Amino acid sequence: SCKSDAAAAMDGGGVEAATTAAWMARHRGMYERATRHPFTVSIRDGTVDLSAFRRWLGQDYMFVKEFVAFLASVLLKCCRQSDGSDMEIILGGLASLSDELSWFKKEAEKWSVNLAEVSPLKSNTEYCRFLQSFSEPEISYVVAITTFWIIETVYQDSFAFCIEEGNKTPPELLGTCQRWGSPEFKQYCQSLQRIADRCLAEASADAARSAEEAFLRVLELEIGFWDMSSSRS
Ligand SMILES: Cc1ncc(CO)c(N)n1
């Protein structure tokens, strides 16, 4: 089970609260390959290949549609396996994807990307298959919430870098960068991180190991997704 902050504090938990921070330190190289990828760094530098950006846009629209189903499975596990105190955060994330899908359609029009004609490339298909595996009830809530947190955090960190001081991001790409790079999105990611850390603090060693494996798998899949957007793989 997954207790609330108050319940965890009462039984003296929280000593090893920062599991996710420890993983980020331990796997720093992988984390940086995912969040300082040549593709997003080229957005920040202003040297981005616009055909690559258009490819990313079409592929990510397909990804987000799959992400809706993934988030529904995270929500279901939250309701079934935790005390339900995280439900509002997850439900809020799910609700905001409705807006996000509209944004993709509008953005696709702006860049003349025909979403009806997009078919998923290999790395996207692989990532979507990974997301689909979470519909299995055997996958625990702690693994699912950790996965959700790191998926959002890679985008948050990647795009926040594109709007940090000294950026040369083309003005027509600022809207994209702000969608995931905003302080509000960062706060949302931090609330997911707190939930993940709270669940990890109580998880069995086996469950924590599975969650760390999922964390690494996401980093790998995100690197593959950026590679796919930059070139064609
Ligand atoms: C590939 C990918 N990873 C993460 C996010 C964040 O939601 C996204 N939209 N796409």
Side-chain angles (χ1 to χ4, degrees):
S1 83
C2 221
K3 294 176 202 164
S4 67
D5 289 335
M10 274 190 294
D11 52 22
V15 180
E16 311 157 82
T19 308
T20 56
W23 293 348
M24 287 167 106
R26 189 184 304 160
H27 306 293
R28 188 174 190 81
M30 274 286 281
Y31 182 78
E32 289 198 346
R33 280 175 63 209
T35 56
R36 296 294 180 268
H37 189 277
F39 176 71
T40 51
V41 170
S42 78
I43 293 178
R44 180 189 157 88
D45 291 347
T47 60
V48 61
D49 173 3
L50 289 180
S51 74
F53 179 78
R54 293 167 80 251
R55 189 177 312 126
W56 167 79
L57 189 71
Q59 292 296 317
D60 212 43
Y61 171 70
M62 305 211 69
F63 175 89
V64 171
K65 285 200 292 181
E66 196 59 53
F67 196 56
V68 172
F70 165 77
L71 218 46
S73 71
V74 179
L75 182 64
L76 187 62
K77 289 178 203 299
C78 169
C79 298
R80 297 271 184 274
Q81 299 177 32
S82 86
D83 64 9
S85 62
D86 312 330
M87 190 180 78
E88 286 177 36
I89 297 275
I90 300 167
L91 191 56
L94 190 53
S96 72
L97 290 182
S98 169
D99 208 55
E100 191 155 301
L101 287 172
S102 307
W103 177 85
F104 271 100
K105 288 178 199 160
K106 212 179 79 211
E107 199 68 12
E109 235 172 86
K110 170 174 150 187
W111 293 96
S112 311
V113 173
N114 186 353
L115 293 177
E117 276 177 2
V118 175
S119 56
L121 296 173
K122 188 166 166 282
S123 299
N124 197 6
T125 304
E126 199 182 345
Y127 206 159
C128 288
R129 207 176 303 126
F130 171 76
L131 293 183
Q132 283 160 13
S133 72
F134 284 82
S135 65
E136 294 164 23
E138 292 73 28
I139 297 188
S140 66
Y141 176 56
V142 61
V143 174
I145 192 75
T146 303
T147 301
F148 177 28
W149 156 71
I150 190 60
I151 291 174
E152 296 290 42
T153 298
V154 168
Y155 263 42
Q156 188 279 317
D157 199 337
S158 298
F159 284 113
F161 187 58
C162 299
I163 51 178
E164 267 174 26
E165 217 182 305
N167 78 76
K168 300 190 186 75
T169 298
E172 65 271 28
L173 299 184
L174 281 175
T176 299
C177 300
Q178 272 148 4
R179 167 158 283 278
W180 290 279
S182 71
E184 294 73 29
F185 194 75
K186 184 172 185 159
Q187 279 185 5
Y188 167 65
C189 290
Q190 286 170 337
S191 61
L192 295 178
Q193 184 167 16
R194 277 191 295 273
I195 296 172
D197 276 324
R198 196 194 72 230
C199 294
L200 285 162
E202 298 179 356
S204 67
D206 255 14
R209 204 172 305 116
S210 298
E212 186 172 4
E213 277 167 19
F215 166 86
L216 283 172
R217 184 73 184 125
V218 168
L219 294 181
E220 223 169 57
L221 289 163
E222 289 287 343
I223 294 164
F225 202 93
W226 296 134
D227 285 346
M228 168 196 74
S229 302
S230 334
S231 58
R232 204 176 273 275
S233 57

